[in-house]
Amino acid sequence: MAETAAEINFSEEIFDSAALVSKFNSGVFHQAMFDQTIEGKPVVLIIDEINRGNVSAIFGELITLIEETKRSGSNEALEVILPYSKQKFSVPSNLYIIGTMNTADRSVEALDTALRRRFAFEEMMPQPALIREDGALKATNGVLSIKEGGEIDLVKVLEIINKRIVALLDKDHQIGHSYLINVQSVQDLVHAFNNCIIPLLKEYFYHDEEKIALVLGTGFFTMENETMEEELFPAISKFRIPQSKPRLRIHTLAEDSIIEALNKLIG
């Protein structure tokens, strides 16, 4: 008798699950299981943006097993039976779990309390000095020199931008040093600001160009006089006709102007 669509889907699900378990067992976790004591070789599992998923659903019963006292080899060690393979499962003592998250993301507010209790939270703030120490410009002390275009101290640029963001918004929205750490040319610099930093600031200060201008300085915006036609609006008694006013426009910069604009930023 031919299989129904439901039976085929169920078979594919079982096959995919078995394949997934096989791959998982042959990977990092399987290696960690060879020596499950705290003295064993450390194995690190990194979960990026851990706050973006449904933590309770993702971890399930593992939320208890990752506790230090519940891991294999401990006095209070626990095991669970995996739903697909039906094998016993425990978390090794030499497995270290690192989760990353962005505190500027509102999803952090809904982070599961059970997860908060099982992780130590360490704040990782921007480190502008790394542009000088570890970045592509370390040989020139974090200063980018452009032939016939002058030079700019990228460490100072990032420090001032972040000080202004903290004053206007908060410390959690500071710009990370990763945007500038690999800048080696004026083309890289233009890309970093036009495609990364300026769009991020527009998201932070949505429809508030004045604050963006306060962060970036006079080299990144122009004032345009907005004129209105005299007969644009109907004459209605006791209605006040809006007056024309200057309009602030944040603009992208070209290679021949960005160094000058950034020097204005740092004063």
Side-chain angles (χ1 to χ4, degrees):
M1 184 174 64
E3 289 183 300
T4 65
E7 289 173 339
I8 293 173
N9 291 336
F10 180 75
S11 299
E12 291 177 349
E13 181 182 348
I14 295 298
F15 176 79
D16 291 342
S17 300
L20 181 61
V21 169
S22 176
K23 290 181 180 179
F24 186 72
N25 285 340
S26 64
V28 173
F29 183 82
H30 186 62
Q31 296 299 319
M33 293 295 289
F34 281 115
D35 189 354
Q36 301 183 29
T37 64
I38 193 64
E39 292 80 13
K41 184 178 179 181
V43 177
V44 179
L45 173 63
I46 300 177
I47 305 175
D48 191 29
E49 299 285 359
I50 192 173
N51 56 300
R52 288 191 172 274
N54 184 334
V55 176
S56 298
I58 293 171
F59 277 87
E61 296 180 21
L62 294 183
I63 201 70
T64 298
L65 298 187
I66 64 176
E67 292 183 27
E68 185 176 354
T69 58
K70 302 298 190 299
R71 297 189 175 202
S72 59
S74 302
N75 294 332
E76 303 176 21
L78 293 177
E79 292 181 336
V80 296
I81 303 298
L82 297 177
Y84 290 109
S85 66
K86 305 303 179 184
Q87 296 177 355
K88 291 184 178 181
F89 179 87
S90 62
V91 177
S93 297
N94 58 323
L95 178 67
Y96 295 85
I97 303 174
I98 298 176
T100 66
M101 65 181 68
N102 187 350
T103 52
D105 192 331
R106 292 183 178 180
S107 63
V108 174
E109 300 173 2
L111 193 62
D112 192 272
T113 304
L115 189 69
R116 289 182 182 272
R117 291 191 290 106
R118 289 167 172 83
F119 280 79
F121 286 76
E122 182 176 349
E123 189 175 59
M124 303 291 290
M125 303 306 293
Q127 301 178 58
L130 291 181
I131 298 174
R132 179 182 297 121
E133 297 169 4
D134 299 331
L137 297 170
K138 61 183 178 181
T140 53
N141 205 30
V143 176
L144 178 65
S145 297
I146 304 298
K147 184 179 180 181
E148 299 179 355
E151 59 182 28
I152 186 67
D153 187 341
L154 297 184
V155 175
K156 192 171 183 179
V157 166
L158 187 60
E159 288 175 341
I160 292 178
I161 286 177
N162 281 334
K163 285 181 180 178
R164 292 173 178 176
I165 291 175
V166 170
L168 294 172
L169 197 56
D170 56 52
K171 67 181 181 66
D172 291 330
H173 287 79
Q174 295 180 74
I175 302 294
H177 55 271
S178 61
Y179 289 114
L180 300 176
I181 199 168
N182 290 317
V183 169
Q184 302 183 60
S185 64
V186 67
Q187 292 86 358
D188 294 340
L189 190 60
V190 168
H191 173 78
F193 272 87
N194 289 345
N195 298 92
C196 301
I197 295 177
I198 292 178
L200 189 59
L201 291 174
K202 288 182 177 180
E203 182 179 339
Y204 287 170
F205 305 106
Y206 189 65
H207 284 178
D208 194 345
E209 286 80 6
E210 290 184 3
K211 287 184 179 178
I212 300 175
L214 286 173
V215 172
L216 295 176
T218 57
F220 283 83
F221 71 90
T222 54
M223 299 294 293
E224 301 176 355
N225 291 322
E226 189 177 74
T227 59
M228 297 185 184
E229 300 176 9
E230 294 183 0
E231 299 181 355
L232 178 62
F233 299 102
I236 303 177
S237 177
K238 297 183 180 181
F239 276 32
R240 184 176 62 183
I241 303 299
Q243 302 296 314
S244 61
K245 58 181 179 180
R247 182 181 181 86
L248 188 153
R249 186 179 299 278
I250 305 296
H251 54 80
T252 56
L253 294 179
E255 296 177 10
D256 59 353
S257 59
I258 193 165
I259 297 296
E260 180 183 358
L262 290 176
N263 277 316
K264 289 181 180 179
L265 185 154
I266 64 179

